[in-house]
Amino acid sequence: MDHRAILQNIRNFIVDLDGVVYLLHTPIRENVDFLRFARLRGFRIAFLSNNTFLPREGYAAKLNTMGVEAKVEEIFTSAFVTAGYLQREKPGGRVYAIGEEGLKEELRRAGLKLLPRFSPRGADFVVVGLDRRFTFQKMKTGLDFLLKGAQLVGTNPDPTYPTDSGVIPGAGAIIASLERASGQRARIIGKPSPDILLFLLETLRFRREETAVIGDRIDTDVLLGKNCGVLTILVLTGVAKREEVLSSPVQPDIVVHTLQELREFL
């Protein structure tokens, strides 16, 4: 495979965070070094994550601390995009959120009203992200709102989440419990839904034919690129392993062990 020919028209990289730039708090140095190199070569870089732990400025600060240049306007999370979509769909809508502070902060900033666990008023949406403090009570409250007419919205379908100490359950596992209990299929805004990537491309004015998506998951990152007609690069520093690539019906355009392998082709 001629990687140089495949990459010759690429001017923009859209980069996943977890499993590509870092594992929770630990930078993946080879990939960080490549991103510095790409910036110096004049490539435009944006970051696209299904993670909802932090608001966008939190991720910008985290990346810069790790030596990765990043501006807030270059960071797109499933929480940020989900909040924007729901505010446009129902301005000031009522939301019961299952997730961490990054998700809740983005929902508040968008102008949506967050509901407490006990609320006499129904919710318009039950929004679910990864919640490391998920409990049976949160599931029950979410189910109560869903059975009263709320719409189930997932920030992302990731079944697992990679950390520096191993894999933990992801937002998709929580969403699945509420889907099963309520009988309602969640609307997913984050990867691999085209909505999140199309929003980024439009906002930053990236042309599809000049853009590559870099990620560590076939079922979200690679599938997202395929859904939108964008070049895909799978890096094996996170969730996906070589065996999965060989057996997957969804095939990335390029597979590398670390992003440093791309340097000679740019």
Side-chain angles (χ1 to χ4, degrees):
M1 181 182 296
D2 188 349
H3 289 174
R4 191 181 304 278
I6 293 174
L7 292 166
Q8 66 179 347
N9 295 322
I10 297 301
R11 300 291 178 268
N12 316 305
F13 289 116
I14 298 175
V15 184
D16 183 31
L17 294 178
D18 303 287
V20 177
V21 182
Y22 52 70
L23 290 169
L24 196 57
H25 302 301
T26 305
I28 302 172
R29 284 299 169 196
E30 297 91 340
N31 296 348
V32 168
D33 289 344
F34 168 79
L35 294 175
R36 289 201 200 101
F37 167 80
R39 288 271 196 198
L40 290 173
R41 291 292 301 271
F43 289 88
R44 295 182 67 191
I45 295 175
F47 300 93
L48 180 60
S49 177
N50 272 347
N51 193 308
T52 58
F53 289 164
L54 302 171
R56 290 199 298 164
E57 67 271 16
Y59 287 111
K62 181 175 182 176
L63 288 169
N64 281 287
T65 298
M66 291 179 173
V68 179
E69 180 186 343
K71 300 175 183 177
V72 172
E73 56 267 28
E74 295 172 330
I75 296 173
F76 293 76
T77 68
S78 60
F80 170 68
V81 178
T82 296
Y85 268 95
L86 296 185
Q87 174 63 5
R88 287 191 293 274
E89 185 172 306
K90 192 173 183 63
R94 299 185 303 277
V95 176
Y96 177 68
I98 297 174
E100 304 203 9
E101 190 54 36
L103 172 60
K104 295 174 183 178
E105 182 62 25
E106 295 290 6
L107 293 168
R108 281 191 289 262
R109 289 179 182 177
L112 297 160
K113 182 179 180 181
L114 295 188
L115 298 179
R117 193 173 77 181
F118 301 107
S119 174
R121 302 187 66 186
D124 298 304
F125 308 102
V126 173
V127 178
V128 182
L130 177 53
D131 187 340
R132 289 170 292 184
R133 294 179 176 82
F134 182 59
T135 63
F136 181 84
Q137 183 59 57
K138 289 181 180 180
M139 181 167 61
K140 180 181 181 302
T141 302
L143 177 61
D144 287 343
F145 283 124
L146 292 171
L147 294 178
K148 292 174 182 175
Q151 180 183 351
L152 180 59
V153 178
T155 60
N156 72 85
D158 296 354
T160 58
Y161 174 75
T163 75
D164 47 8
S165 59
V167 172
I168 63 173
I174 300 173
I175 293 167
S177 69
L178 286 165
E179 286 183 324
R180 187 64 182 269
S182 68
Q184 184 180 152
R185 185 73 177 268
R187 174 186 173 190
I188 302 295
I189 303 296
K191 299 182 287 186
S193 168
D195 291 342
I196 192 167
L197 182 56
L198 295 176
F199 179 76
L200 185 156
L201 293 172
E202 180 181 352
T203 301
L204 297 182
R205 298 184 178 180
F206 282 5
R207 298 175 63 180
R208 295 192 202 198
E209 64 272 19
E210 295 179 346
T211 301
V213 169
I214 299 175
D216 70 312
R217 302 185 75 117
I218 294 176
D219 57 351
T220 52
D221 302 305
V222 175
L223 184 56
L224 173 71
K226 296 297 183 182
N227 285 342
C228 295
V230 172
L231 187 78
T232 58
I233 300 171
L234 180 72
V235 60
L236 303 177
T237 49
V239 171
K241 305 304 177 189
R242 177 67 69 175
E243 312 82 72
E244 183 184 352
V245 178
L246 296 174
S247 63
S248 174
V250 179
Q251 286 293 304
D253 297 294
I254 295 174
V255 181
V256 292
H257 288 92
T258 76
L259 295 182
Q260 285 285 46
E261 295 174 33
L262 298 175
R263 289 182 63 144
E264 64 181 291
F265 305 114
L266 300 182

